[in-house]
Amino acid sequence: MDNLQNPYQAPQAELTVNSAAEPLLASRWMRLGAALIDGLVMSLATVPVAYLSGTFEAARQGIEPSLGQQLLGLVVGLAVFLLVNGHLLKQYGQTLGKRLLKIAIVDLEGQVPELGNLLLKRYLLWWLLAYVPVVGVLLVLVDYLFIFRADRRCLHDLLAGTRVVQPPR
């Protein structure tokens, strides 16, 4: 029986290989490690400011930090974050922690996202939300729990249109 007339023959199709393969998503552990490194770097700058501004002393006495102390912490934190990570985010889509662990933030097309978009939607908005009593803490917690989705995108990733990947080597 001729193959052209065989009704039981498997379909034939020409296969092509995509040379621009999708980058692998960064593991949850790599993202956590990068966040811990970034947090440690930030604390090296912000803890001394909190100490010098009296925030630690107030906390020791059970007094909530004043609005001025909180704003000072936010401004110093933003300044340090930009000094340490601004260039890396703009050029490579990486914070220092992500750079050390060889993972990067990309947009949905796989490109380095615009710096302004990253700073506003991925970082600043969530830092400000954290200051909202009760609701802010819950939103930040929900944001982080979204890492357990199949696509490993947190709320801040969804809002900014980003994902964290292992760049091709």
Side-chain angles (χ1 to χ4, degrees):
M1 178 179 255
D2 187 7
N3 279 345
L4 293 175
Q5 297 173 3
N6 183 353
Y8 303 107
Q9 179 181 351
Q12 300 294 312
E14 189 173 323
L15 299 178
T16 58
V17 178
N18 185 359
S19 60
E22 281 287 312
L24 292 174
L25 291 174
S27 75
R28 293 173 183 97
W29 291 109
M30 296 293 271
R31 289 186 70 170
L32 176 61
L36 291 173
I37 292 168
D38 291 337
L40 178 64
V41 169
M42 291 296 293
S43 67
L44 291 174
T46 56
V47 167
V49 170
Y51 180 78
L52 294 173
S53 71
T55 303
F56 279 162
E57 184 59 29
R60 193 178 69 76
Q61 296 174 6
I63 301 170
E64 186 173 335
S66 70
L67 180 60
Q69 289 170 321
Q70 291 182 42
L71 288 174
L72 176 64
L74 179 63
V75 168
V76 169
L78 284 171
V80 170
F81 183 81
L82 286 174
L83 285 171
V84 172
N85 297 307
H87 174 73
L88 291 172
L89 282 168
K90 182 171 176 47
Q91 290 299 118
Y92 309 107
Q94 296 173 308
T95 60
L96 183 61
K98 285 178 175 60
R99 183 94 174 155
L100 291 173
L101 296 182
K102 297 178 175 45
I103 59 177
I105 303 164
V106 296
D107 62 19
L108 299 180
E109 287 78 41
Q111 303 301 310
V112 173
E114 177 193 333
L115 181 62
N117 187 48
L118 279 179
L119 294 177
L120 287 175
K121 294 179 181 175
R122 195 177 157 88
Y123 294 105
L124 184 61
L125 175 68
W126 296 98
W127 289 341
L128 293 174
L129 281 174
Y131 281 95
V132 177
V134 182
V135 175
V137 174
L138 291 174
L139 282 173
V140 171
L141 177 62
V142 169
D143 173 35
Y144 293 148
L145 289 175
F146 264 57
I147 193 73
F148 294 105
R149 293 166 30 116
D151 65 1
R152 299 183 197 154
R153 293 175 68 203
C154 296
L155 283 175
H156 61 265
D157 290 308
L158 295 171
L159 183 65
T162 60
R163 58 191 171 142
V164 181
V165 299
Q166 297 175 12
R169 299 182 200 277

Short mmCIF file of all heavy atoms in Angstrom, two decimals, residues 89-114:
data_model
loop_
_atom_site.label_atom_id
_atom_site.label_comp_id
_atom_site.label_asym_id
_atom_site.label_seq_id
_atom_site.Cartn_x
_atom_site.Cartn_y
_atom_site.Cartn_z
N LEU A 89 19.73 48.31 37.06
CA LEU A 89 18.36 48.14 36.58
C LEU A 89 18.19 48.70 35.17
O LEU A 89 17.54 48.09 34.33
CB LEU A 89 17.37 48.82 37.54
CG LEU A 89 17.05 48.05 38.81
CD1 LEU A 89 16.30 48.93 39.80
CD2 LEU A 89 16.26 46.79 38.50
N LYS A 90 18.77 49.85 34.92
CA LYS A 90 18.64 50.49 33.60
C LYS A 90 19.33 49.68 32.51
O LYS A 90 18.78 49.47 31.45
CB LYS A 90 19.19 51.91 33.64
CG LYS A 90 19.03 52.65 32.33
CD LYS A 90 19.40 54.11 32.48
CE LYS A 90 19.35 54.89 31.21
NZ LYS A 90 18.18 54.72 30.39
N GLN A 91 20.53 49.22 32.79
CA GLN A 91 21.33 48.51 31.78
C GLN A 91 20.95 47.04 31.62
O GLN A 91 20.92 46.53 30.51
CB GLN A 91 22.81 48.60 32.12
CG GLN A 91 23.40 49.99 31.97
CD GLN A 91 23.32 50.51 30.55
OE1 GLN A 91 22.67 51.51 30.31
NE2 GLN A 91 23.94 49.84 29.62
N TYR A 92 20.72 46.37 32.74
CA TYR A 92 20.60 44.91 32.70
C TYR A 92 19.29 44.36 33.28
O TYR A 92 19.07 43.15 33.24
CB TYR A 92 21.76 44.26 33.46
CG TYR A 92 23.11 44.78 33.05
CD1 TYR A 92 23.83 45.63 33.88
CD2 TYR A 92 23.66 44.44 31.81
CE1 TYR A 92 25.07 46.11 33.50
CE2 TYR A 92 24.90 44.92 31.42
CZ TYR A 92 25.60 45.77 32.28
OH TYR A 92 26.82 46.25 31.89
N GLY A 93 18.47 45.22 33.89
CA GLY A 93 17.26 44.73 34.54
C GLY A 93 17.58 43.94 35.80
O GLY A 93 16.88 42.98 36.12
N GLN A 94 18.63 44.35 36.50
CA GLN A 94 19.06 43.60 37.68
C GLN A 94 19.31 44.53 38.86
O GLN A 94 19.82 45.64 38.68
CB GLN A 94 20.36 42.84 37.40
CG GLN A 94 20.24 41.77 36.34
CD GLN A 94 21.58 41.17 36.00
OE1 GLN A 94 22.53 41.88 35.70
NE2 GLN A 94 21.65 39.85 36.03
N THR A 95 18.98 44.05 40.06
CA THR A 95 19.46 44.68 41.28
C THR A 95 20.80 44.01 41.60
O THR A 95 21.18 43.04 40.92
CB THR A 95 18.49 44.45 42.45
OG1 THR A 95 18.36 43.03 42.65
CG2 THR A 95 17.12 45.09 42.17
N LEU A 96 21.48 44.48 42.61
CA LEU A 96 22.76 43.86 42.98
C LEU A 96 22.56 42.38 43.32
O LEU A 96 23.33 41.53 42.87
CB LEU A 96 23.38 44.61 44.16
CG LEU A 96 24.75 44.13 44.61
CD1 LEU A 96 25.77 44.24 43.48
CD2 LEU A 96 25.21 44.91 45.83
N GLY A 97 21.52 42.07 44.10
CA GLY A 97 21.25 40.67 44.43
C GLY A 97 20.96 39.81 43.22
O GLY A 97 21.45 38.69 43.09
N LYS A 98 20.17 40.33 42.29
CA LYS A 98 19.87 39.59 41.05
C LYS A 98 21.13 39.42 40.22
O LYS A 98 21.34 38.37 39.59
CB LYS A 98 18.77 40.29 40.27
CG LYS A 98 17.38 40.11 40.88
CD LYS A 98 16.33 40.85 40.09
CE LYS A 98 14.93 40.59 40.60
NZ LYS A 98 14.69 40.95 42.00
N ARG A 99 21.96 40.44 40.18
CA ARG A 99 23.22 40.36 39.42
C ARG A 99 24.11 39.26 39.98
O ARG A 99 24.69 38.46 39.23
CB ARG A 99 23.92 41.72 39.46
CG ARG A 99 25.18 41.80 38.66
CD ARG A 99 24.89 42.35 37.33
NE ARG A 99 26.11 42.59 36.58
CZ ARG A 99 26.15 42.60 35.29
NH1 ARG A 99 25.04 42.43 34.59
NH2 ARG A 99 27.26 42.81 34.65
N LEU A 100 24.24 39.22 41.31
CA LEU A 100 25.09 38.21 41.94
C LEU A 100 24.57 36.80 41.70
O LEU A 100 25.35 35.86 41.57
CB LEU A 100 25.22 38.49 43.43
CG LEU A 100 26.02 39.73 43.81
CD1 LEU A 100 25.93 39.99 45.32
CD2 LEU A 100 27.48 39.60 43.39
N LEU A 101 23.25 36.65 41.64
CA LEU A 101 22.66 35.32 41.45
C LEU A 101 22.32 35.01 39.99
O LEU A 101 21.70 33.99 39.70
CB LEU A 101 21.43 35.18 42.34
CG LEU A 101 21.74 35.22 43.84
CD1 LEU A 101 20.47 35.04 44.66
CD2 LEU A 101 22.78 34.19 44.22
N LYS A 102 22.72 35.92 39.11
CA LYS A 102 22.58 35.71 37.66
C LYS A 102 21.14 35.50 37.22
O LYS A 102 20.82 34.59 36.44
CB LYS A 102 23.47 34.56 37.20
CG LYS A 102 24.94 34.82 37.41
CD LYS A 102 25.77 33.65 36.99
CE LYS A 102 27.25 33.86 37.06
NZ LYS A 102 27.82 34.48 38.20
N ILE A 103 20.24 36.37 37.71
CA ILE A 103 18.87 36.42 37.24
C ILE A 103 18.56 37.86 36.88
O ILE A 103 19.30 38.77 37.27
CB ILE A 103 17.86 35.87 38.29
CG1 ILE A 103 17.92 36.65 39.60
CG2 ILE A 103 18.10 34.38 38.52
CD1 ILE A 103 16.90 36.19 40.64
N ALA A 104 17.51 38.09 36.10
CA ALA A 104 17.22 39.45 35.63
C ALA A 104 15.72 39.66 35.46
O ALA A 104 14.96 38.72 35.24
CB ALA A 104 17.92 39.70 34.30
N ILE A 105 15.34 40.92 35.54
CA ILE A 105 13.96 41.33 35.29
C ILE A 105 13.86 41.67 33.81
O ILE A 105 14.68 42.43 33.29
CB ILE A 105 13.60 42.59 36.12
CG1 ILE A 105 13.83 42.34 37.60
CG2 ILE A 105 12.16 43.01 35.84
CD1 ILE A 105 13.88 43.61 38.42
N VAL A 106 12.86 41.11 33.14
CA VAL A 106 12.62 41.42 31.74
C VAL A 106 11.14 41.72 31.55
O VAL A 106 10.30 41.33 32.38
CB VAL A 106 13.05 40.27 30.79
CG1 VAL A 106 14.55 40.03 30.86
CG2 VAL A 106 12.28 39.00 31.08
N ASP A 107 10.81 42.41 30.46
CA ASP A 107 9.40 42.62 30.15
C ASP A 107 8.88 41.34 29.48
O ASP A 107 9.61 40.36 29.34
CB ASP A 107 9.18 43.88 29.31
CG ASP A 107 9.87 43.84 27.95
OD1 ASP A 107 10.22 42.74 27.46
OD2 ASP A 107 10.07 44.91 27.37
N LEU A 108 7.64 41.36 29.07
CA LEU A 108 7.05 40.15 28.52
C LEU A 108 7.61 39.78 27.15
O LEU A 108 7.40 38.66 26.68
CB LEU A 108 5.52 40.28 28.47
CG LEU A 108 4.88 40.48 29.85
CD1 LEU A 108 3.37 40.61 29.73
CD2 LEU A 108 5.26 39.37 30.80
N GLU A 109 8.32 40.70 26.51
CA GLU A 109 8.99 40.40 25.24
C GLU A 109 10.44 39.96 25.46
O GLU A 109 11.17 39.72 24.51
CB GLU A 109 8.97 41.63 24.31
CG GLU A 109 7.61 41.93 23.70
CD GLU A 109 6.68 42.63 24.69
OE1 GLU A 109 7.13 43.51 25.43
OE2 GLU A 109 5.50 42.27 24.72
N GLY A 110 10.87 39.90 26.71
CA GLY A 110 12.23 39.46 27.02
C GLY A 110 13.27 40.57 27.01
O GLY A 110 14.46 40.28 27.08
N GLN A 111 12.83 41.82 26.96
CA GLN A 111 13.76 42.95 26.92
C GLN A 111 13.89 43.57 28.31
O GLN A 111 13.02 43.43 29.16
CB GLN A 111 13.25 44.01 25.94
CG GLN A 111 13.03 43.51 24.54
CD GLN A 111 14.29 42.93 23.92
OE1 GLN A 111 15.33 43.56 23.94
NE2 GLN A 111 14.19 41.72 23.38
N VAL A 112 14.98 44.31 28.51
CA VAL A 112 15.15 45.06 29.76
C VAL A 112 14.05 46.12 29.83
O VAL A 112 13.91 46.91 28.90
CB VAL A 112 16.55 45.71 29.83
CG1 VAL A 112 16.67 46.62 31.05
CG2 VAL A 112 17.63 44.64 29.86
N PRO A 113 13.27 46.15 30.89
CA PRO A 113 12.17 47.12 30.98
C PRO A 113 12.68 48.54 31.16
O PRO A 113 13.80 48.77 31.60
CB PRO A 113 11.39 46.67 32.23
CG PRO A 113 11.92 45.34 32.59
CD PRO A 113 13.28 45.23 32.01
N GLU A 114 11.81 49.48 30.86
CA GLU A 114 12.12 50.90 31.04
C GLU A 114 12.31 51.16 32.54
O GLU A 114 11.53 50.70 33.38
CB GLU A 114 10.98 51.74 30.49
CG GLU A 114 11.17 53.22 30.70
CD GLU A 114 9.90 54.00 30.44
OE1 GLU A 114 9.06 53.54 29.65
OE2 GLU A 114 9.76 55.06 31.05
#
